Amino acid sequence: MIDEAATFLPVRIAVLTVSDSRSAVDDRSGDKLVTLLTDAGHVLAERAIVRDDVDAIVARLHAWIDQEEVDCIVSTGGTGVTGRDVTPDALARLGGKDIPGFGELFRWLSFAKIGTSTIQSRACAVVVRGTYVFALPGSTGAVEDGWTGILSTQLDSRHRPCNFVELMPRLRER
């Protein structure tokens, strides 16, 4: 539920496309994600495309995690089960705190649309040094499902009973 009396706080979101074949010209999933987040009132902090390579993904994510201007990172692509699908492996190397419910909820929502094929998705999320990192599959449908079904409300400071935004000031506490 959105509390319309509460103040909306825009989140600064970096978008990462993981792909060996996409470029800025044909990155439909990245474009979709940028449109969804900006239409919701959030700020596109950064955007990049990196190849399906664990070291390249980890390097890009660490660079953004260390930027004050980035509150959250959403990636698209590389979450499948083939040999080149390494985004979840990269997130595991970041050394953060897993958010297992994100992947579980994504697959539950996806099941309603694509049935048991959702089992091939390794969508996942972590918190690393105070920054949320979400990994979605690379299709535009998956990006839309992940955004509209989960992130649009959890990244909305007005969502009740709770949301990820209200936790941001406490993510670095020990």
Side-chain angles (χ1 to χ4, degrees):
M1 174 182 91
I2 299 296
D3 178 357
E4 297 295 341
T7 301
F8 176 80
L9 301 173
V11 176
R12 298 167 300 187
I13 303 171
V15 172
L16 178 65
T17 298
V18 178
S19 176
D20 287 334
S21 61
R22 293 189 190 156
S23 69
V25 175
D26 61 358
D27 180 17
R28 292 179 39 237
S29 296
D31 291 343
K32 179 72 168 178
L33 190 51
V34 168
T35 298
L36 290 167
L37 74 89
T38 55
D39 285 354
H42 298 293
V43 176
L44 176 63
E46 296 269 346
R47 183 173 178 184
I49 299 174
V50 298
R51 65 190 185 288
D52 292 282
D53 175 82
V54 172
D55 292 333
I57 298 165
V58 168
R60 169 50 51 207
L61 293 174
H62 274 309
W64 282 345
I65 289 165
D66 291 335
Q67 287 185 21
E68 281 292 318
E69 301 80 24
V70 175
D71 300 314
C72 173
I73 301 164
V74 183
S75 73
T76 174
T79 62
V81 297
T82 69
R84 297 293 297 157
D85 291 321
V86 296
T87 304
D89 308 289
L91 267 63
R93 283 193 25 201
L94 296 173
K97 185 179 281 191
D98 288 335
I99 308 173
F102 177 79
E104 294 163 359
L105 181 54
F106 176 82
R107 283 180 287 280
W108 180 77
L109 292 167
S110 181
F111 179 77
K113 293 187 176 182
I114 64 171
T116 59
S117 295
T118 193
I119 202 160
Q120 296 179 28
S121 168
R122 296 189 302 149
C124 59
V126 295
V127 178
V128 181
R129 298 190 307 278
T131 302
Y132 293 110
V133 183
F134 303 98
L136 292 169
S139 72
T140 55
V143 165
E144 179 136 12
D145 291 346
W147 182 266
T148 59
I150 306 169
L151 295 174
S152 67
T153 53
Q154 281 300 296
L155 294 177
D156 190 327
S157 57
R158 304 166 300 166
H159 183 263
R160 301 293 178 253
C162 57
N163 59 75
F164 284 138
V165 178
E166 66 191 10
L167 299 176
M168 286 180 176
R170 298 180 47 215
L171 292 177
R172 293 179 186 260
E173 61 187 23
R174 300 237 173 228

